[in-house]
């Protein structure tokens, strides 16, 4: 059996869908706190809550590999992931995969957004389980919240500099396809796989992708480098109205400025057998 936790989330659901391309659907178990949301996936769907380890053990028992999608419960994630690790140990799973984040293991990176990932990785190192770390890059769709993309196309200018940090943005679907391939085939025990998009882009690169996607001229205006705080104040209303998004955005841009997100690998096309999605390709579907 191949088990995916958090299967009703945006990433987890995609992982299960791609996993069906590799594995008989009868050998897939999708777990969620809300299994009723898994209708239509065509696999066995069960209740599994990382706050309730007893709900995990029956489904982990005898599993060839388990993929735990990191939860979104900031502040509780380490404890939740620890529950999954303990259940996997008790069940004797053949392999444990965890969706971490790029640079999570670097002790010099003090971003609080990575702290619980780092703690979880250490728990896995100490667990004795065969494990694979899937360190995800930054989701492309975050840019819809963190940058005035449509305004930039309308005005022809993407403002702000925020330093020269680059990010290899990646789609959730590419991450899911790569994760499903590793879950299905195995053979990556002990490996740390940084999963990124195919281009490391600064603001000028984002402007060029907007121009390519829209067919309209868009340039980056680096006239004045501004503090992260003033940049955040000009974000789309949907982002400013969401305190969690603003906190994440602030941490994200600080990490970008400091160069912590400037990681580019080619694991996604190697694992999936298809090119990674470029930012211009993604933007064509959302502008």
């Amino acid at each position: 059996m191949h088990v995916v936790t958090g299967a009703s989330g945006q990433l987890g659901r995609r992982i299960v869908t791609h996993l069906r391309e590799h594995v008989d659907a009868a050998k897939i178990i999708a777990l969620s706190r809300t299994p009723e949301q898994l209708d239509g996936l065509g696999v066995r769907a069960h209740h599994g809550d990382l706050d309730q380890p007893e709900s995990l053990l029956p489904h982990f028992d005898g599993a060839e590999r388990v993929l735990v999608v990191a939860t979104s419960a900031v502040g509780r994630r380490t404890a939740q992931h620890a529950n999954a690790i303990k259940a996997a140990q008790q069940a004797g799973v053949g392999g444990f995969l965890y969706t971490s984040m790029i640079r999570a293991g670097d002790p010099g990176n003090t971003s609080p957004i990575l702290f619980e990932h780092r703690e979880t990785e250490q728990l896995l190192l100490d667990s004795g389980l065969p494990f694979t770390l899937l360190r995800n890059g930054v989701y492309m769709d975050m840019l819809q919240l963190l940058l005035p993309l449509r305004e930039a196309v309308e005005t022809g200018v993407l403002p702000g500099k925020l330093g020269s940090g680059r990010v290899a943005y990646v789609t959730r679907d590419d991450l899911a396809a790569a994760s499903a391939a590793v879950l299905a085939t195995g053979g990556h025990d002990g490996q740390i796989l940084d999963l990124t998009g195919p281009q490391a882009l600064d603001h000028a690169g984002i402007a060029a992708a907007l121009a390519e996607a829209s067919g309209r001229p868009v340039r980056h205006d680096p006239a004045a480098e501004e503090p992260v705080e003033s940049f955040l104040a000009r974000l789309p209303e949907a982002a400013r109205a969401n305190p969690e998004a603003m906190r994440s955005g602030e941490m994200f841009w600080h990490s970008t400025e400091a160069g912590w997100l400037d990681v580019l690998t080619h694991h996604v096309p190697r694992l999936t057998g298809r090119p990674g999605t470029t930012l211009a390709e993604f933007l064509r579907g959302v502008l």
Side-chain angles (χ1 to χ4, degrees), residues 178-235:
S179 299
V182 176
L183 180 59
T185 60
H188 295 82
D189 290 349
Q191 294 186 22
I192 298 173
L193 302 175
D194 290 322
L195 304 178
T196 75
Q199 308 159 299
L201 303 175
D202 57 10
H203 271 54
I206 295 171
L210 280 167
E212 182 180 346
S214 66
R216 299 172 64 175
V218 181
R219 65 180 177 84
H220 171 233
D221 180 10
E225 187 167 335
E226 60 182 322
V228 169
E229 290 72 20
S230 64
F231 183 85
L232 291 170
R234 296 190 294 98
L235 291 181

Side-chain angles (χ1 to χ4, degrees), residues 2-285:
H2 298 74
V3 182
V4 179
T5 73
S8 58
Q10 293 188 65
L11 181 61
R13 192 176 188 90
R14 287 179 172 90
I15 291 172
V16 173
T17 299
H18 283 290
L19 187 58
R20 290 193 58 184
E21 300 170 7
H22 303 277
V23 176
D24 187 328
K27 296 182 179 180
I28 300 172
I29 295 177
L31 299 181
S32 171
R33 290 179 301 168
T34 53
E36 64 276 7
Q37 295 183 13
L38 300 175
D39 290 347
L41 277 179
V43 301
R44 286 195 267 177
H46 296 285
H47 176 263
D49 187 341
L50 270 64
D51 284 317
Q52 302 171 357
E54 67 277 6
S55 70
L56 306 174
L57 193 55
H59 309 299
F60 283 12
D61 188 29
E64 186 172 355
R65 279 178 290 279
V66 169
L67 189 155
V68 172
V69 177
T71 76
S72 59
V74 176
R76 301 203 331 268
R77 292 192 291 186
T78 301
Q80 291 175 326
H81 301 154
N83 286 336
I85 292 169
K86 291 174 185 174
Q89 289 173 310
Q90 293 176 4
V93 302
F96 191 106
L97 286 71
Y98 172 67
T99 62
S100 186
M101 187 174 178
I102 55 172
R103 305 297 289 270
D106 194 319
N109 189 349
T110 58
S111 171
I113 203 169
L114 295 179
F115 187 68
E116 290 173 300
H117 288 304
R118 186 176 299 136
E119 289 185 322
T120 300
E121 290 189 4
Q122 188 60 51
L123 289 173
L124 276 170
L125 282 168
D126 296 338
S127 71
L129 288 168
F131 70 89
T132 305
L133 297 179
L134 304 168
R135 286 184 175 165
N136 291 342
V138 180
Y139 298 147
M140 276 187 191
D141 54 75
M142 276 189 63
L143 288 175
Q144 295 174 266
L145 284 176
L146 297 176
L147 285 175
L149 300 179
R150 288 189 173 86
E151 177 185 330
V153 171
E154 292 170 3
T155 63
V157 176
L158 180 68
K161 186 175 181 183
L162 285 171
S164 58
R166 295 174 179 269
V167 180
Y169 301 97
V170 61
T171 66
R172 294 179 198 257
D173 194 68
D174 281 349
L175 291 173
S179 299
V182 176
L183 180 59
T185 60
H188 295 82
D189 290 349
Q191 294 186 22
I192 298 173
L193 302 175
D194 290 322
L195 304 178
T196 75
Q199 308 159 299
L201 303 175
D202 57 10
H203 271 54
I206 295 171
L210 280 167
E212 182 180 346
S214 66
R216 299 172 64 175
V218 181
R219 65 180 177 84
H220 171 233
D221 180 10
E225 187 167 335
E226 60 182 322
V228 169
E229 290 72 20
S230 64
F231 183 85
L232 291 170
R234 296 190 294 98
L235 291 181
E237 184 178 352
R240 288 186 282 109
N242 185 332
E244 185 66 32
M246 290 295 285
R247 283 194 296 272
S248 297
E250 184 173 2
M251 288 186 285
F252 166 69
W253 287 122
H254 279 303
S255 295
T256 301
E257 279 191 296
W260 287 113
L261 302 178
D262 192 354
V263 176
L264 175 65
T265 75
H266 300 287
H267 290 311
V268 166
R270 178 179 65 81
L271 293 167
T272 64
R274 70 186 196 192
T277 306
T278 67
L279 180 57
E281 291 168 338
F282 171 79
L283 290 172
R284 287 192 191 104

